Short mmCIF file of all heavy atoms in Angstrom, two decimals:
data_model
loop_
_atom_site.label_atom_id
_atom_site.label_comp_id
_atom_site.label_asym_id
_atom_site.label_seq_id
_atom_site.Cartn_x
_atom_site.Cartn_y
_atom_site.Cartn_z
N THR A 1 48.62 50.86 -80.22
CA THR A 1 48.57 51.27 -78.81
C THR A 1 47.71 52.54 -78.70
O THR A 1 47.45 53.23 -79.65
CB THR A 1 50.00 51.50 -78.26
OG1 THR A 1 49.96 51.58 -76.82
CG2 THR A 1 50.54 52.83 -78.78
N ASP A 2 47.32 52.82 -77.44
CA ASP A 2 46.64 54.08 -77.12
C ASP A 2 47.72 55.06 -76.69
O ASP A 2 48.27 54.97 -75.57
CB ASP A 2 45.61 53.89 -76.06
CG ASP A 2 44.83 55.14 -75.75
OD1 ASP A 2 45.23 56.24 -76.17
OD2 ASP A 2 43.78 55.02 -75.00
N LEU A 3 48.06 56.03 -77.55
CA LEU A 3 49.12 56.97 -77.25
C LEU A 3 48.79 57.99 -76.17
O LEU A 3 49.69 58.67 -75.69
CB LEU A 3 49.52 57.70 -78.56
CG LEU A 3 50.17 56.86 -79.65
CD1 LEU A 3 50.07 57.54 -81.01
CD2 LEU A 3 51.58 56.50 -79.27
N SER A 4 47.54 58.04 -75.75
CA SER A 4 47.18 58.97 -74.66
C SER A 4 47.58 58.42 -73.29
O SER A 4 47.55 59.18 -72.32
CB SER A 4 45.70 59.29 -74.71
OG SER A 4 44.90 58.18 -74.25
N ILE A 5 47.87 57.15 -73.22
CA ILE A 5 48.22 56.53 -71.92
C ILE A 5 49.80 56.45 -71.89
O ILE A 5 50.44 55.66 -72.65
CB ILE A 5 47.61 55.11 -71.82
CG1 ILE A 5 46.10 55.22 -71.96
CG2 ILE A 5 48.03 54.56 -70.45
CD1 ILE A 5 45.42 56.10 -70.99
N LEU A 6 50.41 57.24 -70.98
CA LEU A 6 51.85 57.30 -71.01
C LEU A 6 52.52 55.98 -70.65
O LEU A 6 53.63 55.67 -71.18
CB LEU A 6 52.31 58.41 -70.02
CG LEU A 6 51.84 59.82 -70.29
CD1 LEU A 6 52.47 60.78 -69.33
CD2 LEU A 6 52.07 60.18 -71.74
N LYS A 7 51.94 55.16 -69.82
CA LYS A 7 52.53 53.85 -69.40
C LYS A 7 52.62 52.92 -70.66
O LYS A 7 53.33 51.90 -70.58
CB LYS A 7 51.78 53.25 -68.24
CG LYS A 7 50.34 52.78 -68.57
CD LYS A 7 49.72 52.22 -67.34
CE LYS A 7 48.25 51.80 -67.62
NZ LYS A 7 47.58 51.32 -66.38
N ASN A 8 51.87 53.25 -71.73
CA ASN A 8 51.96 52.45 -72.96
C ASN A 8 53.20 52.73 -73.72
O ASN A 8 53.60 51.85 -74.59
CB ASN A 8 50.73 52.69 -73.82
CG ASN A 8 49.47 52.12 -73.28
OD1 ASN A 8 49.49 51.34 -72.34
ND2 ASN A 8 48.32 52.51 -73.86
N ILE A 9 53.82 53.83 -73.50
CA ILE A 9 54.94 54.26 -74.39
C ILE A 9 56.20 53.40 -74.14
O ILE A 9 56.83 53.03 -75.19
CB ILE A 9 55.23 55.77 -74.19
CG1 ILE A 9 53.97 56.60 -74.42
CG2 ILE A 9 56.34 56.22 -75.15
CD1 ILE A 9 53.30 56.45 -75.78
N PRO A 10 56.66 53.20 -72.88
CA PRO A 10 57.90 52.38 -72.72
C PRO A 10 57.80 50.98 -73.41
O PRO A 10 58.76 50.61 -74.17
CB PRO A 10 58.05 52.30 -71.27
CG PRO A 10 57.41 53.54 -70.70
CD PRO A 10 56.22 53.76 -71.65
N PRO A 11 56.77 50.20 -73.23
CA PRO A 11 56.68 48.89 -73.92
C PRO A 11 56.58 49.06 -75.44
O PRO A 11 57.03 48.23 -76.18
CB PRO A 11 55.49 48.23 -73.36
CG PRO A 11 54.64 49.32 -72.68
CD PRO A 11 55.64 50.32 -72.24
N LEU A 12 55.94 50.12 -75.88
CA LEU A 12 55.89 50.40 -77.35
C LEU A 12 57.25 50.58 -77.93
O LEU A 12 57.60 50.01 -78.97
CB LEU A 12 54.99 51.64 -77.57
CG LEU A 12 55.02 52.21 -79.00
CD1 LEU A 12 54.30 51.23 -79.98
CD2 LEU A 12 54.36 53.58 -79.05
N VAL A 13 58.11 51.40 -77.26
CA VAL A 13 59.44 51.67 -77.71
C VAL A 13 60.25 50.36 -77.75
O VAL A 13 61.05 50.13 -78.64
CB VAL A 13 60.12 52.77 -76.90
CG1 VAL A 13 61.58 52.88 -77.21
CG2 VAL A 13 59.42 54.12 -77.11
N GLU A 14 60.09 49.57 -76.70
CA GLU A 14 60.80 48.30 -76.64
C GLU A 14 60.45 47.41 -77.84
O GLU A 14 61.28 46.75 -78.50
CB GLU A 14 60.48 47.54 -75.38
CG GLU A 14 61.04 48.16 -74.12
CD GLU A 14 60.68 47.45 -72.84
OE1 GLU A 14 60.07 46.34 -72.94
OE2 GLU A 14 60.96 47.96 -71.76
N LYS A 15 59.18 47.39 -78.21
CA LYS A 15 58.74 46.59 -79.41
C LYS A 15 59.35 47.13 -80.71
O LYS A 15 59.73 46.39 -81.61
CB LYS A 15 57.22 46.60 -79.49
CG LYS A 15 56.55 45.79 -78.41
CD LYS A 15 54.99 45.94 -78.52
CE LYS A 15 54.29 45.18 -77.43
NZ LYS A 15 52.84 45.36 -77.44
N ILE A 16 59.40 48.48 -80.77
CA ILE A 16 59.99 49.04 -82.01
C ILE A 16 61.47 48.67 -82.15
O ILE A 16 61.89 48.27 -83.22
CB ILE A 16 59.87 50.61 -81.95
CG1 ILE A 16 58.38 51.02 -82.00
CG2 ILE A 16 60.68 51.29 -83.08
CD1 ILE A 16 58.19 52.51 -81.72
N LYS A 17 62.18 48.72 -81.04
CA LYS A 17 63.60 48.37 -81.10
C LYS A 17 63.87 46.88 -81.29
O LYS A 17 64.95 46.52 -81.79
CB LYS A 17 64.28 48.87 -79.82
CG LYS A 17 64.35 50.43 -79.75
CD LYS A 17 65.13 50.89 -78.54
CE LYS A 17 65.23 52.44 -78.55
NZ LYS A 17 66.03 52.95 -77.41
N LEU A 18 62.88 46.09 -81.02
CA LEU A 18 63.00 44.65 -81.38
C LEU A 18 62.82 44.48 -82.88
O LEU A 18 63.42 43.52 -83.45
CB LEU A 18 61.94 43.83 -80.64
CG LEU A 18 62.19 43.61 -79.15
CD1 LEU A 18 61.03 42.91 -78.50
CD2 LEU A 18 63.49 42.81 -78.89
N GLN A 19 62.04 45.32 -83.53
CA GLN A 19 61.80 45.19 -84.97
C GLN A 19 62.78 45.95 -85.81
O GLN A 19 63.18 45.48 -86.87
CB GLN A 19 60.37 45.73 -85.29
CG GLN A 19 59.26 44.87 -84.71
CD GLN A 19 57.95 45.18 -85.27
OE1 GLN A 19 57.82 45.41 -86.46
NE2 GLN A 19 56.85 45.08 -84.47
N PHE A 20 63.23 47.08 -85.30
CA PHE A 20 64.23 47.97 -85.99
C PHE A 20 65.48 48.02 -85.27
O PHE A 20 65.53 48.46 -84.10
CB PHE A 20 63.67 49.39 -86.18
CG PHE A 20 62.66 49.52 -87.30
CD1 PHE A 20 62.26 48.41 -88.12
CD2 PHE A 20 62.12 50.75 -87.61
CE1 PHE A 20 61.36 48.62 -89.11
CE2 PHE A 20 61.21 50.89 -88.61
CZ PHE A 20 60.80 49.84 -89.38
N ASP A 21 66.61 47.62 -85.85
CA ASP A 21 67.91 47.70 -85.25
C ASP A 21 68.52 49.12 -85.26
O ASP A 21 69.51 49.45 -84.71
CB ASP A 21 68.89 46.68 -85.77
CG ASP A 21 69.07 46.85 -87.29
OD1 ASP A 21 68.45 47.75 -87.90
OD2 ASP A 21 69.88 46.07 -87.87
N GLU A 22 67.86 49.98 -86.02
CA GLU A 22 68.16 51.40 -86.07
C GLU A 22 66.92 52.17 -86.50
O GLU A 22 65.98 51.54 -87.11
CB GLU A 22 69.34 51.69 -87.00
CG GLU A 22 69.02 51.41 -88.44
CD GLU A 22 70.17 51.78 -89.37
OE1 GLU A 22 71.05 52.51 -88.93
OE2 GLU A 22 70.18 51.33 -90.56
N VAL A 23 66.91 53.47 -86.29
CA VAL A 23 65.81 54.31 -86.77
C VAL A 23 66.37 55.57 -87.39
O VAL A 23 67.17 56.25 -86.72
CB VAL A 23 64.80 54.63 -85.61
CG1 VAL A 23 63.78 55.72 -86.08
CG2 VAL A 23 64.04 53.46 -85.14
N ASN A 24 65.98 55.84 -88.62
CA ASN A 24 66.53 56.98 -89.30
C ASN A 24 65.66 58.21 -89.23
O ASN A 24 66.17 59.34 -89.28
CB ASN A 24 66.76 56.62 -90.81
CG ASN A 24 67.69 55.42 -90.98
OD1 ASN A 24 67.25 54.37 -91.40
ND2 ASN A 24 68.94 55.52 -90.58
N PHE A 25 64.34 58.01 -89.12
CA PHE A 25 63.37 59.09 -89.05
C PHE A 25 62.27 58.77 -88.07
O PHE A 25 61.80 57.64 -88.06
CB PHE A 25 62.74 59.41 -90.43
CG PHE A 25 63.69 59.93 -91.45
CD1 PHE A 25 64.29 59.07 -92.35
CD2 PHE A 25 63.97 61.31 -91.55
CE1 PHE A 25 65.22 59.55 -93.29
CE2 PHE A 25 64.85 61.77 -92.53
CZ PHE A 25 65.43 60.90 -93.37
N ILE A 26 61.88 59.81 -87.29
CA ILE A 26 60.70 59.71 -86.49
C ILE A 26 59.78 60.84 -86.85
O ILE A 26 60.19 62.00 -86.91
CB ILE A 26 61.03 59.80 -84.94
CG1 ILE A 26 61.93 58.63 -84.50
CG2 ILE A 26 59.78 59.88 -84.07
CD1 ILE A 26 62.50 58.80 -83.13
N VAL A 27 58.54 60.50 -87.13
CA VAL A 27 57.52 61.52 -87.49
C VAL A 27 56.33 61.41 -86.56
O VAL A 27 55.74 60.32 -86.37
CB VAL A 27 57.07 61.38 -88.95
CG1 VAL A 27 56.08 62.51 -89.33
CG2 VAL A 27 58.21 61.28 -89.92
N HIS A 28 55.94 62.52 -85.94
CA HIS A 28 54.78 62.55 -85.04
C HIS A 28 53.59 63.25 -85.73
O HIS A 28 53.66 64.40 -86.01
CB HIS A 28 55.07 63.32 -83.78
CG HIS A 28 56.07 62.57 -82.83
ND1 HIS A 28 55.66 61.70 -81.94
CD2 HIS A 28 57.42 62.70 -82.75
CE1 HIS A 28 56.75 61.22 -81.26
NE2 HIS A 28 57.81 61.80 -81.72
N THR A 29 52.55 62.49 -85.95
CA THR A 29 51.35 63.05 -86.55
C THR A 29 50.13 62.77 -85.77
O THR A 29 49.00 63.30 -86.12
CB THR A 29 51.11 62.49 -88.01
OG1 THR A 29 50.85 61.09 -87.91
CG2 THR A 29 52.34 62.76 -88.87
N ALA A 30 50.22 62.05 -84.70
CA ALA A 30 49.08 61.70 -83.84
C ALA A 30 48.39 62.93 -83.27
O ALA A 30 49.07 63.87 -82.84
CB ALA A 30 49.48 60.81 -82.67
N ASP A 31 47.09 63.02 -83.33
CA ASP A 31 46.34 64.19 -83.00
C ASP A 31 44.93 63.75 -82.49
O ASP A 31 44.48 62.66 -82.73
CB ASP A 31 46.26 65.19 -84.06
CG ASP A 31 45.98 66.59 -83.61
OD1 ASP A 31 45.79 66.82 -82.37
OD2 ASP A 31 45.99 67.49 -84.43
N ILE A 32 44.29 64.69 -81.84
CA ILE A 32 42.91 64.50 -81.44
C ILE A 32 42.26 65.90 -81.33
O ILE A 32 42.91 66.84 -81.03
CB ILE A 32 42.81 63.78 -80.04
CG1 ILE A 32 41.32 63.48 -79.69
CG2 ILE A 32 43.44 64.60 -78.96
CD1 ILE A 32 41.20 62.58 -78.48
N LEU A 33 41.00 65.94 -81.72
CA LEU A 33 40.29 67.21 -81.67
C LEU A 33 38.87 67.01 -81.17
O LEU A 33 38.13 66.25 -81.72
CB LEU A 33 40.21 67.81 -83.15
CG LEU A 33 39.81 69.26 -83.30
CD1 LEU A 33 40.85 70.15 -82.58
CD2 LEU A 33 39.67 69.62 -84.75
#
């Protein structure tokens, strides 16, 4: 997904929760320069 577009985030999270029934760690490394 393109993380710079906020409207992409809700469907992204829905897809994650369909794949993972729980999440133990979240790590944010996305960046742009």
Side-chain angles (χ1 to χ4, degrees):
T1 195
D2 183 347
L3 293 162
S4 72
I5 305 301
L6 299 187
K7 66 182 180 183
N8 289 348
I9 306 301
L12 171 67
V13 170
E14 290 178 8
K15 290 177 183 177
I16 293 170
K17 291 186 176 182
L18 286 173
Q19 294 194 37
F20 280 2
D21 57 0
E22 65 176 346
V23 171
N24 304 112
F25 293 92
I26 296 171
V27 184
H28 290 274
T29 64
D31 201 355
I32 186 172
L33 195 61

